[in-house]
């Protein structure tokens, strides 16, 4: 403050300056506030009729989602068709096996050979021969020449040709079930001896027996997500009549992940996120000027989920829970950066929901692209002694895309 | 007692955030006099000061949720009022910083008269006669306690311009008031 005598006298004079009654100004303010309030109501009414077009989902996020979706489609479609092509070709080749002279044995599991409900029998694609040779099982037992694994007699030449024709008609999009159903119809009784091909489904086949627990894979996960701190300020920022805006906010997750299989039936995902960020960006009228305000919270997070593998569509749905511990919490207001660690609770827990695809890359490396939603179940904001109640509730929601590169132990 | 005042402010704030018109009026009445004086100092004209104050308080009521309750509410409102005043002149393209004044005075650093003895309206009239740019800088320095560097940053002018405008505004006001005093005697 200036110490100049004139300035000091001026300030003192101003402090004693008489002012008119406040009412006239208040009238104007009241009118303005009424106008804003009325407009708010009209706006809300209009929203019900025609939802307001606001960029809640921002363009960059949509673009990233589009690119991710395009990559997924580009990867999945060829894989999907290639699989069906391979399956059809190898099945057809199997039907023609009696006509060829390929040496070797058909390693057919005795379990699957006697179980008509099991769709799959396994052998190297195309490298099989049945006719006139013994079928060798994994356990060393063998079927005599002239018998199929299912124990039925070899079929005649015309029957084989019919089967080939039938199978060739099945299009690639029909799915493995269609192929197998066709084979069931073609072959009366036990069909397992007819099918000896490499069939990989996106969902690994479930067995009723096996170890109680085993690690299926382990890898690194990265996620790019849109985050929302659901509180009074965020809601206010979405109201066009208020000063300030809630801005779309994006953060990252990084961690290690693993899939654990129980009793060869239940797939459980386990993830340790070393960095799991969330937060909200605003443009607010703070200290009488508009500044960009960024709240960033960084958690150490553990999440686990159950996976439902889909038979007909590729991928798995995941649903589970997470538990997180707050590491860092900071706020940036314009050029100022300060910690708000004390304002937020140390722990957080909530729900995880998502969908993931399994894309085998090469050897034992698998890519799991997917989408993930997180919603927390507790108030993460504590505030301080001076915080008004209206600001004291904050929930967190995130939605994003993620990719995992894992090593499969199978 | 600042504690009591702060508690009272919090009660007022909660009411204002719930759009309680009665509480909003109470808050307005509490700070009206102080803020109106600031507006008067920035503008020199009562009608204009009312316009600025009205605009400022609408910003206060619609932006109260951005107020950090750890800080002083009065200080926050004051900053809004000051910025609204600056915006008011800026929007009307009245913030021009003239290089020279019509009758540039000598600044002797001594007022030579007592403000209290002069009629308030006469002083306000002289304040109003100051060029808008110089008046704003004078207020930012003498009233709000900003440094010339801060003023320069706020108004997008150089530190030197801020210094010279302040000195000239003060000198001019001093000269006019002295002359008035002499005429009166």
């Amino acid at each position: 403050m200036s110490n100049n005598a004139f300035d000091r006298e001026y300030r003192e004079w101003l402090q004693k300056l008489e002012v008119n009654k406040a009412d006239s100004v208040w009238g104007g303010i009241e009118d303005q506030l009424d106008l804003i309030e009325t407009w708010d109501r009209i706006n809300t009414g209009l929203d019900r009729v025609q939802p307001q077009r606001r960029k809640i989902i921002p363009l960059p996020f949509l673009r990233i989602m589009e690119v991710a979706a395009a990559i997924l489609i580009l990867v999945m479609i060829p894989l999907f068709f290639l699989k069906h092509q391979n399956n059809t070709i190898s099945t057809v080749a199997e039907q023609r096996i009696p006509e060829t002279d390929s040496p070797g044995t058909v390693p057919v599991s005795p379990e699957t050979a006697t179980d008509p409900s099991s769709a799959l029998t396994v052998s190297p694609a195309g490298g099989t021969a049945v006719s006139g040779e013994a079928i060798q099982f994994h356990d060393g037992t063998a079927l005599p020449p002239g018998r199929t694994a299912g124990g039925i007699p070899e079929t005649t030449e015309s029957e084989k040709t019919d089967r080939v024709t039938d199978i060739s008609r099945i299009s690639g999009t029909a799915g493995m079930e269609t192929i197998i159903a066709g084979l069931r119809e073609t072959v009366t009784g036990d069909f397992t001896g007819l099918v000896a091909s490499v069939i990989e489904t996106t969902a690994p086949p479930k067995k009723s027996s096996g170890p109680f627990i085993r690690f299926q894979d382990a890898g690194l996960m990265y996620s790019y997500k849109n985050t929302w701190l659901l509180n009074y300020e965020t809601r206010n920022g979405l109201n066009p009549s208020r000063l300030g805006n809630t801005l779309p906010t994006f953060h990252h997750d990084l961690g290690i992940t693993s899939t654990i299989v129980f009793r060869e039936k239940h797939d459980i995902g386990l993830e340790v996120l070393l960095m799991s960020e969330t937060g909200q960006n605003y443009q607010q009228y703070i200290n009488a000027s508009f500044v960009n305000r960024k709240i960033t919270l960084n958690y150490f997070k553990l999440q686990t989920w159950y996976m439902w593998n889909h038979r007909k569509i590729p991928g798995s749905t995941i649903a589970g829970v997470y538990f997180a511990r707050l590491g860092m919490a900071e706020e940036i207001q314009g050029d100022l950066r300060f910690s708000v660690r004390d304002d937020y609770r140390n722990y957080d827990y909530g729900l995880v929901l998502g969908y993931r695809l399994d894309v085998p890359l090469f050897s034992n490396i698998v890519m799991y692209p997917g989408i993930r939603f997180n919603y927390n179940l507790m108030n993460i904001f504590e505030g301080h002694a001076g915080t008004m109640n209206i600001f004291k509730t904050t929930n967190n929601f995130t939605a994003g895309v993620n990719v995992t590169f894992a090593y499969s132990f199978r | 007692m600042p504690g009591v005042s702060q508690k009272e402010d919090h009660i007022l704030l909660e009411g204002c955030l719930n759009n309680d018109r009665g509480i909003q009026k109470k808050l307005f009445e509490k700070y009206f006099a102080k803020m109106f004086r600031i507006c008067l100092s920035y503008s020199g004209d009562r009608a204009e000061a009312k316009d600025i104050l009205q605009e400022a308080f609408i910003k206060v009521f619609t932006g109260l949720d951005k107020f950090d309750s750890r800080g002083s509410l009065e200080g926050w409102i004051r900053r809004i009022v000051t910025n609204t005043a600056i915006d008011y002149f800026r929007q009307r393209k009245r913030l021009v910083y003239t290089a020279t004044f019509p009758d540039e005075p000598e600044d002797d650093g001594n007022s030579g008269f007592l403000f209290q003895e002069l009629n308030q309206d006469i002083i306000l009239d002289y304040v109003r006669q100051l060029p808008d740019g110089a008046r704003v800088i004078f207020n930012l320095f003498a009233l709000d306690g900003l440094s010339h560097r801060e003023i320069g940053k706020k108004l997008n002018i150089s530190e030197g311009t801020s210094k010279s405008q302040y000195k000239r505004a003060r000198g001019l006001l001093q000269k006019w008031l002295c002359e008035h005093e002499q005429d009166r005697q």
Side-chain angles (χ1 to χ4, degrees):
Chain A
M1 197 68 76
S2 167
N3 280 326
N4 182 284
F6 182 84
D7 292 352
R8 216 171 34 243
E9 277 183 44
Y10 180 80
R11 281 197 298 270
E12 281 167 15
W13 166 77
L14 197 66
Q15 274 174 11
K16 290 172 186 168
L17 182 68
E18 286 170 18
V19 291
N20 289 347
K21 282 185 179 177
D23 292 343
S24 58
V25 181
W26 174 249
I29 293 168
E30 201 171 24
D31 286 349
Q32 276 283 320
L33 289 174
D34 284 342
L35 186 128
I36 290 169
E37 204 173 288
T38 312
W39 172 243
D40 274 355
R41 284 179 192 161
I42 294 168
N43 223 10
T44 314
L46 284 172
D47 282 349
R48 277 193 215 114
V49 183
Q50 193 178 5
Q52 209 177 3
R53 288 188 170 202
R54 286 178 65 88
K55 283 183 185 173
I56 288 175
I57 300 173
L59 211 58
F61 183 68
L62 282 178
R63 281 189 186 144
I64 288 163
M65 291 291 281
E66 281 166 11
V67 171
I71 291 168
L72 276 180
I73 290 166
L74 284 173
V75 171
M76 289 309 296
I77 287 179
L79 280 171
F80 191 72
F81 280 103
L82 275 172
K83 267 179 200 167
H84 280 286
Q85 209 173 15
N86 286 342
N87 294 340
T88 311
I89 289 167
S90 54
T91 312
V92 169
E94 227 19 74
Q95 296 298 305
R96 286 179 173 156
I97 281 165
E99 294 169 359
T100 62
D101 288 320
S102 31
T105 58
V106 183
V108 180
S109 158
E111 290 159 25
T112 51
T114 53
D115 180 12
S117 66
S118 173
L120 308 176
T121 54
V122 183
S123 83
T128 57
V130 174
S131 182
E133 291 183 16
I135 296 173
Q136 189 79 39
F137 289 121
H138 290 307
D139 62 358
T141 58
L143 282 174
R147 300 289 294 177
T148 62
I152 58 167
E154 282 187 74
T155 50
T156 63
E157 204 61 35
S158 61
E159 282 172 336
K160 288 169 191 166
T161 313
D162 286 344
R163 284 180 205 144
V164 170
T165 316
D166 285 344
I167 293 161
S168 305
R169 282 184 199 140
I170 298 166
S171 70
T173 53
M176 286 315 303
E177 279 79 3
T178 317
I179 296 170
I180 290 158
L183 288 168
R184 275 200 181 122
E185 283 170 16
T186 315
V187 182
T188 311
D190 194 345
F191 63 92
T192 48
L194 296 172
V195 183
S197 61
V198 177
I199 301 171
E200 286 178 11
T201 59
T202 47
K206 294 283 180 277
K207 295 172 189 172
S208 54
S209 63
F212 176 75
I213 182 172
R214 71 176 171 81
F215 283 89
Q216 182 169 292
D217 56 43
L220 278 174
M221 193 285 286
Y222 170 78
S223 164
Y224 183 70
K225 60 191 185 178
N226 179 216
T227 67
W228 292 91
L229 290 185
L230 305 174
N231 56 23
Y232 183 88
E233 286 177 296
T234 304
R235 282 193 298 276
N236 241 6
L238 295 170
N239 184 343
S241 67
R242 298 286 173 185
L243 283 180
N245 295 301
T246 298
L247 303 175
T249 313
F250 296 90
H251 287 287
H252 311 267
D253 282 351
L254 189 67
I256 47 178
T257 186
S258 181
T259 309
I260 301 164
V261 182
F262 286 94
R263 294 178 180 275
E264 295 296 317
K265 268 185 183 176
H266 306 289
D267 291 353
I268 305 291
L270 193 64
E271 212 161 69
V272 179
L273 299 180
L274 306 169
M275 181 193 83
S276 177
E277 286 181 345
T278 189
Q280 191 68 57
N281 296 355
Y282 305 95
Q283 191 187 46
Q284 290 184 337
Y285 197 71
I286 299 169
N287 293 334
S289 60
F290 278 102
V291 289
N292 285 326
R293 181 175 172 222
K294 291 180 181 179
I295 298 170
T296 306
L297 312 173
N298 191 0
Y299 285 93
F300 174 82
K301 194 185 263 184
L302 284 170
Q303 46 190 24
T304 182
W305 58 80
Y306 189 83
M307 293 201 316
W308 285 272
N309 297 315
H310 302 292
R311 297 279 178 195
K312 293 191 176 175
I313 51 169
S316 327
T317 300
I318 65 171
V321 291
Y322 74 82
F323 180 77
R325 190 182 192 287
L326 182 64
M328 177 275 288
E330 72 165 19
E331 186 169 329
I332 300 172
Q333 282 183 15
D335 301 330
L336 290 173
R337 181 190 290 260
F338 50 92
S339 171
V340 285
R341 178 75 175 71
D342 294 339
D343 288 349
Y344 288 85
R345 291 184 200 278
N346 283 332
Y347 296 99
D348 179 27
Y349 60 87
L351 301 173
V352 190
L353 198 67
Y355 191 82
R356 84 171 200 189
L357 291 168
D358 301 5
V359 183
L361 291 179
F362 50 87
S363 185
N364 280 10
I365 305 297
V366 189
M367 180 172 77
Y368 300 124
I371 52 169
R372 201 77 67 78
F373 302 93
N374 280 41
Y375 182 75
N376 86 320
L377 296 173
M378 64 175 278
N379 174 24
I380 56 171
F381 189 70
E382 252 178 345
H384 46 81
T387 307
M388 283 171 284
N389 289 334
I390 205 160
F391 294 115
K392 275 190 173 171
T393 309
T394 299
N395 281 83
N396 181 30
F397 173 75
T398 70
V401 289
N402 64 80
V403 65
T404 301
F405 290 95
Y407 180 84
S408 174
F409 300 116
R410 288 182 73 95
Chain B
M1 285 174 70
V4 174
S5 175
Q6 206 170 19
K7 201 174 175 184
E8 186 186 290
D9 281 349
H10 274 196
I11 294 164
L12 290 175
L13 271 173
E14 295 240 13
C16 291
L17 285 165
N18 288 324
N19 249 352
D20 184 328
R21 203 45 50 84
I23 304 278
Q24 282 173 335
K25 192 176 181 185
K26 274 187 187 169
L27 182 82
F28 170 74
E29 283 170 348
K30 184 178 176 184
Y31 291 107
F32 167 76
K34 278 182 187 172
M35 301 307 151
F36 187 65
R37 286 189 191 106
I38 293 166
C39 292
L40 267 178
S41 183
Y42 271 89
S43 128
D45 181 78
R46 285 184 186 269
E48 210 168 58
K50 280 181 185 175
D51 287 346
I52 294 168
L53 190 71
Q54 181 175 324
E55 214 171 295
F57 263 94
I58 288 162
K59 281 182 182 171
V60 166
F61 289 128
T62 53
L64 260 182
D65 54 304
K66 313 296 180 308
F67 167 65
D68 183 351
S69 53
R70 282 172 286 193
S72 149
L73 181 62
E74 186 184 327
W76 184 71
I77 295 174
R78 190 186 169 122
R79 278 196 294 273
I80 292 181
V81 169
T82 305
N83 282 4
T84 308
I86 294 168
D87 287 344
Y88 183 89
F89 294 117
R90 199 179 269 152
Q91 278 164 14
R92 286 158 183 77
K93 299 190 191 318
R94 281 166 56 179
L95 285 189
V96 182
Y97 308 101
T98 47
T100 52
F101 286 87
D103 47 351
E104 202 170 320
E106 286 295 318
D107 178 23
D108 57 2
N110 188 2
S111 58
F113 63 90
L114 288 171
F115 267 99
Q116 318 303 334
E117 290 174 7
L118 289 169
N119 182 299
Q120 289 182 344
D121 288 336
I122 289 167
I123 299 173
L124 272 181
D125 195 44
Y126 286 132
V127 170
R128 189 167 47 82
Q129 281 178 40
L130 284 171
D132 293 323
R135 188 175 58 241
V136 165
I137 290 170
F138 172 75
N139 275 295
L140 284 172
F141 187 82
L143 202 63
D144 291 315
L146 265 65
S147 69
H148 287 297
R149 180 178 292 220
E150 287 168 325
I151 294 170
K153 207 176 164 186
K154 205 176 186 77
L155 300 178
N156 271 334
I157 55 172
S158 71
E159 204 176 324
T161 306
S162 173
K163 275 181 189 168
S164 65
Q165 292 287 316
Y166 160 72
K167 273 192 169 182
R168 284 165 185 172
R170 191 182 68 187
L172 209 54
L173 201 55
Q174 217 167 351
K175 179 179 177 266
W176 288 338
L177 291 170
C178 281
E179 282 174 0
H180 179 84
E181 186 70 2
Q182 282 163 10
D183 289 347
R184 201 165 62 99
Q185 285 169 358

